[in-house]
Amino acid sequence: MKALVSRLDNVGDVLLAGPAVRAVAARADTVTLLCGPRGAPAARLLPGVDEVLVWDAPWTGFQPPPVDRKEVEHLVDTIEGLGIGTALILTSFHQSPLPTALLLRLAGVGFIAADSADYPGALLDVRHQRAPHAHEVEAALDLAEAAGFPCPDDGRPRILPPPDTSALTGDGPYVVLHPGASVPARAWSPERCAAAVRELAAAGHRVVVTGGSGERVLTSYVAGEHGLDLGGRTGAAELAGVLAGAAAVVTGNTGPAHLAAAVGTPVVSLFAPVVPAERWRPYGVPYVLLGDQDAPCAGSRARTCPVPGHPCLDTVTAHDVVAAVDKLLGDP
């Protein structure tokens, strides 16, 4: 049986889909993962994936492309050429799987399963309803089981073994602080991040600051004179290696939080409540959640903070972060 799993969103979404992907891989001959360009780096790290198919869907993402008939037809032809017989469409609780289901039907996929609040007509063979308040990992595993793919293991996120990055980080234990986020509403302020680096260093922790190629100015500022700046020096696999070597990771609700969980590293989660923590918190590892989960922005899915002063996160202090790191490390 050739199977396809679709998760068209960002790095974190794809990582949280990993346990469901493994469930499908345990019973399928091959698994193709259909993902968007933002999620592709994570897709290539997941166990159980035989092929990654990247497509920028016009119904997902922060800046979705316009609908292009030729692009749609090319995707349909590609999937049809793969001979996919079974598909699992993974979406967040507020997304519809039906546009993806329509394309898969046009590609000749005979069995399609998804969570859907909307009537699917002939588009789905298994119309599943996710449990209220379920974490994204658990919701995906529940759907996989309903489609005939029970969880074969402990169900926590995992990736393929990352590379050794000790040449980047140097010797000795360290804590990672990742200041960036996919949208501004989920990011702790640069000033708070820089203060946390100073306080962590003063508390005896060696601090490594990570970020993407477009975040070098941010990471340089945050690292200052007290942290090691790795901004722009790691791809997805290398970042996984850096996070795997850390004693703890401090970051917002963004891809590296889930990447840290996938390599088994405890997380201090600076969690803006624009989406529910119960669905998106770090999964399968020890974590400490910081941030006002009852702030006025709660549940708004805002990308830019709608409340002056960003109080849900900027009420968190550097001292709070040091205390959370010490709690995760078992220090008094």
Side-chain angles (χ1 to χ4, degrees):
M1 177 206 345
K2 293 184 177 181
L4 179 144
V5 178
S6 171
R7 183 74 222 212
L8 292 169
D9 301 284
N10 293 332
V11 164
D13 306 286
V14 172
L15 291 168
L16 295 177
V21 170
R22 296 199 308 271
V24 174
R27 296 203 170 198
D29 297 318
T30 64
V31 174
T32 297
L33 183 57
L34 173 63
C35 65
R38 285 178 172 268
R44 297 187 175 99
L45 300 178
L46 293 184
V49 174
D50 298 290
E51 182 172 3
V52 175
L53 183 58
V54 181
W55 190 61
D56 199 1
W59 54 86
T60 61
F62 301 135
Q63 295 179 317
V67 177
D68 186 308
R69 179 171 177 169
K70 290 183 179 179
E71 290 289 330
V72 170
E73 290 176 344
H74 177 69
L75 176 68
V76 169
D77 290 343
T78 299
I79 294 173
E80 184 176 28
L82 293 174
I84 302 295
T86 295
L88 199 68
I89 303 172
L90 303 180
T91 54
S92 296
F93 69 98
H94 60 278
Q95 296 173 324
S96 172
L98 300 185
T100 305
L102 175 60
L103 299 192
L104 295 177
R105 276 288 192 247
L106 292 173
V109 179
F111 180 88
I112 304 173
D115 287 319
S116 183
D118 300 316
Y119 174 64
L123 297 182
L124 298 179
D125 300 283
V126 174
R127 178 194 180 188
H128 187 255
Q129 299 290 328
R130 69 160 52 200
H133 314 296
H135 193 281
E136 293 295 303
V137 169
E138 294 164 356
L141 284 170
D142 287 346
L143 172 61
E145 184 167 9
F149 301 101
C151 182
D153 50 41
D154 62 5
R156 58 173 295 271
R158 284 191 176 83
I159 62 167
L160 298 169
D164 179 3
T165 52
S166 57
L168 284 172
T169 61
D171 296 327
Y174 58 90
V175 171
V176 166
L177 191 146
H178 186 92
S182 54
V183 293
R186 301 183 189 182
W188 207 27
S189 72
E191 294 77 19
R192 294 285 197 197
C193 290
V197 169
R198 294 193 297 270
E199 292 294 327
L200 285 166
H205 299 288
R206 192 162 68 91
V207 186
V208 173
V209 179
T210 58
S213 59
E215 297 175 319
R216 289 189 175 111
V217 173
L218 172 63
T219 60
S220 175
Y221 171 77
V222 169
E225 297 179 355
H226 301 278
L228 172 63
D229 179 13
L230 293 186
R233 298 175 62 187
T234 57
E238 292 77 20
L239 178 58
V242 171
L243 299 178
V249 174
V250 180
T251 187
N253 176 28
T254 193
H258 304 301
L259 189 56
V263 295
T265 301
V267 179
V268 175
S269 177
L270 294 152
F271 202 101
V274 290
V275 296
E278 64 186 359
R279 293 186 172 112
W280 294 102
R281 62 170 174 77
Y283 191 87
V285 294
Y287 69 95
V288 174
L289 202 71
L290 298 179
D292 181 2
Q293 299 307 297
D294 297 317
C297 64
S300 67
R301 300 207 299 271
R303 298 175 185 174
T304 301
C305 182
V307 183
H310 205 189
C312 69
L313 286 185
D314 276 2
T315 52
V316 178
T317 68
H319 176 75
D320 294 331
V321 166
V322 173
V325 168
D326 289 343
K327 179 178 180 180
L328 287 175
L329 301 185
D331 295 335

